[in-house]
Amino acid sequence: MKTSRKSAKKIKQKSKILNKIIIVALLFIFALFSYRYISSRPAEYKQIIPKKYILKDFDELCNQIESSYMNLPQTKKYKDTDFLSMKPNFKSKIKLECGRKRDELTTEEVYNLYNDILKKLYDSNVKVADKYTFNKILHQENSNQILNNLSIKRYSNLVEELPAKTFRAYSIDNYKDALYVKVSDFDSVDIQKDAIIFKNILQTNKKKNKIIIDLRDNDSENLEYAINVIIKPLLKSDINVDFKVANKTQPLIDKKVLNNNGISFKTTEDLSNVTINDNQKNIKYITNFNLSLKKSEEQKCDIFILQNKNTKNSADFVCQIANRTKFATTVGEATSGYGLNIVHTYKSLPNIGLIVEYPLGQGLNEDGSTNEEVGTIPSIKLDDNSEMVKLLLQRVN
């Protein structure tokens, strides 16, 4: 009898202990799920950004670069920089900067800090978008797929710094039968005004039978400027040209911007006609672009475009179109490329609302090589120096 009582007592004690363990376990599970739920919720907007959100969104920024940005192999190969392996150092830098400001930073401080880190990719096209770019995104038809609820509030704190640049072109009459025009950048705010200036320069020099457009050291990103100010007035006939961009992920493209500039596109998963090299193993999609332009003037001159290793982005686009359509002859050195990659991807960071901007994919040259790696090869090779124009005229006269 005593034995049965003792057994019952032991069973009761074990049951109490088991119940306590179950309650503790349930409390732990509840706490864990509550923490994960709270941690996964989007951050509420605050003017001053806590360190935890700065670090969390930096992880997201790196994830975006790893999953969608295609030029990491080129950065590693030519700049000897493995950006993703440097992530712990970058996070230490973020912690250090936050520590100086009581573990929280202003919107502008985070904007500058992220962009300073992104310079290690050696690609000016990868950056945190400024307010000027944000305002352009607001007018895109797919803006609701790009912006999250924090973006509008966050960008209200940033100052819109418009590029206060004007058309920088210099007409030189030192050459008997040639007009020389140096175009330093395409970043003027007033494209229509610059188009009139450029057109007037061409018209006042109609007696010349050669036009030399100098795009050396021009790394501008304005595609609309390249097409409407530079290419159109130089055409002798209508042009219709195709080019390809390779992507890791399905691209999100704003049709309105491209259609307004004579560009149509189609994205496909058919890679049968694409030569895949070692740096393109992650290609899943090909976007086929078509540029169709009508001539704006009856251009009769022979056109020459000077380029060098610092010619990049939209200036490289002009050189690519010149080579493919023969509306002009390219002269000089191979460019730095990035001209065919005409569309950028924008992603809002979930906890801060700042927008990461980077190229859609990799442009493919006519021979299948990567435009970002090879650049655009000139039709006439000449060393980049102060005598290039004279040497060119000696060769073509």
Side-chain angles (χ1 to χ4, degrees):
M1 192 73 171
K2 287 183 180 180
T3 304
S4 62
R5 284 180 179 177
K6 285 182 180 181
S7 298
K9 190 174 181 180
K10 285 182 179 179
I11 292 171
K12 193 174 182 180
Q13 287 176 340
K14 287 180 179 179
S15 178
K16 284 182 178 181
I17 293 171
L18 182 61
N19 287 337
K20 287 180 179 179
I21 292 172
I22 292 172
I23 290 170
V24 170
L26 289 173
L27 288 172
F28 175 78
I29 292 170
F30 176 77
L32 179 63
F33 276 95
S34 297
Y35 172 77
R36 287 185 175 179
Y37 170 72
I38 292 171
S39 299
S40 64
R41 286 187 307 170
E44 294 181 2
Y45 172 76
K46 293 182 180 179
Q47 281 195 330
I48 304 299
I49 306 171
K51 179 178 69 174
K52 65 177 181 178
Y53 293 137
I54 300 171
L55 289 169
K56 189 179 289 188
D57 273 3
F58 182 72
D59 284 335
E60 176 61 25
L61 185 154
C62 290
N63 289 339
Q64 288 294 335
I65 289 172
E66 184 175 16
S67 63
S68 301
Y69 179 64
M70 292 191 63
N71 294 325
L72 288 174
Q74 280 79 11
T75 307
K76 191 172 182 179
K77 181 176 179 180
Y78 296 106
K79 300 297 182 181
D80 196 26
T81 300
D82 188 344
F83 183 86
L84 294 176
S85 72
M86 296 170 67
K87 184 178 173 181
N89 295 335
F90 296 146
K91 297 191 80 168
S92 295
K93 180 176 181 176
I94 292 171
K95 291 174 183 177
L96 180 63
E97 290 298 317
C98 290
R100 292 172 178 169
K101 301 290 181 69
R102 298 182 179 179
D103 284 346
E104 53 188 18
L105 300 175
T106 66
T107 300
E108 189 170 358
E109 286 171 338
V110 177
Y111 169 85
N112 290 332
L113 179 57
Y114 279 4
N115 275 328
D116 187 54
I117 291 172
L118 288 173
K119 287 179 182 178
K120 289 295 182 182
L121 284 169
Y122 299 96
D123 183 353
S124 60
N125 296 297
V126 186
K127 57 196 170 187
V128 177
D130 57 17
K131 191 170 183 178
Y132 178 66
T133 302
F134 169 76
N135 287 336
K136 289 197 296 183
I137 295 171
L138 279 178
H139 294 94
Q140 290 188 14
E141 59 185 10
N142 56 358
S143 59
N144 62 332
Q145 296 174 269
I146 299 171
L147 307 177
N148 64 23
N149 294 330
L150 291 175
S151 297
I152 294 176
K153 292 181 179 180
R154 184 63 61 201
Y155 275 89
S156 67
N157 283 336
L158 284 178
V159 177
E160 183 172 0
E161 296 181 0
L162 289 173
K165 296 180 179 179
T166 56
F167 182 84
R168 288 186 275 172
Y170 307 95
S171 176
I172 300 174
D173 294 321
N174 293 347
Y175 311 103
K176 291 181 180 179
D177 60 350
L179 165 68
Y180 168 86
V181 183
K182 169 69 175 177
V183 187
S184 302
D185 63 61
F186 299 161
D187 295 330
S188 173
V189 176
D190 195 338
I191 291 178
Q192 291 183 341
K193 182 179 178 181
D194 285 3
I196 293 171
I197 293 173
F198 187 63
K199 182 178 178 181
N200 288 338
I201 290 174
L202 298 179
Q203 287 182 339
T204 55
N205 289 272
K206 278 189 172 181
K207 293 182 179 180
K208 308 284 186 177
N209 58 32
K210 296 180 182 66
I211 298 174
I212 301 171
I213 306 298
D214 192 346
L215 297 185
R216 289 177 294 175
D217 303 321
N218 186 323
D219 62 355
S220 306
E221 300 170 16
N222 196 321
L223 178 68
E224 183 181 356
Y225 197 109
I227 292 173
N228 295 292
V229 179
I230 306 300
I231 295 177
K232 278 186 178 180
L234 298 176
L235 295 180
K236 293 181 180 179
S237 60
D238 300 346
I239 62 171
N240 190 293
V241 59
D242 297 311
F243 55 96
K244 293 179 171 62
V245 174
N247 315 114
K248 278 185 180 180
T249 56
Q250 177 72 47
L252 181 67
I253 303 175
D254 184 48
K255 298 178 183 178
K256 183 171 64 177
V257 172
L258 294 182
N259 289 343
N260 288 344
N261 290 293
I263 298 175
S264 58
F265 67 92
K266 182 180 180 181
T267 298
T268 176
E269 294 183 70
D270 181 10
L271 307 180
S272 58
N273 295 323
V274 180
T275 303
I276 306 297
N277 62 36
D278 289 340
N279 293 335
Q280 298 170 334
K281 291 179 180 178
N282 294 320
I283 290 178
K284 293 183 179 179
Y285 301 92
I286 292 291
T287 302
N288 297 286
F289 289 95
N290 173 269
L291 172 66
S292 181
L293 297 176
K294 294 187 177 298
K295 63 181 181 180
S296 59
E297 298 291 332
E298 191 63 39
Q299 186 57 255
K300 296 180 180 180
C301 297
D302 292 329
I303 312 297
F304 298 91
I305 296 175
L306 305 187
Q307 60 182 57
N308 66 4
K309 62 183 179 181
N310 296 320
T311 303
K312 191 177 180 181
N313 298 325
S314 290
D316 174 73
F317 178 82
V318 175
C319 299
Q320 275 278 337
I321 300 304
N323 278 356
R324 294 184 186 221
T325 65
K326 310 304 180 187
F327 86 83
T329 302
T330 53
V331 181
E333 303 173 331
T335 69
S336 290
Y338 293 85
L340 298 179
N341 211 345
I342 62 173
V343 178
H344 283 196
T345 295
Y346 303 96
K347 300 284 186 181
S348 284
L349 296 174
N351 298 289
I352 295 177
L354 290 174
I355 299 166
V356 184
E357 174 184 357
Y358 52 89
L360 179 69
Q362 286 182 336
L364 302 180
N365 292 328
E366 288 183 287
D367 62 359
S369 61
T370 305
N371 176 247
E372 286 81 355
E373 185 170 6
V374 178
T376 299
I377 307 300
S379 297
I380 298 176
K381 293 183 180 181
L382 285 177
D383 291 337
D384 180 23
N385 57 51
S386 59
E387 300 296 313
M388 184 184 284
V389 176
K390 290 182 180 179
L391 292 172
L392 170 63
L393 291 175
Q394 287 173 8
R395 179 176 292 196
V396 298
N397 281 337

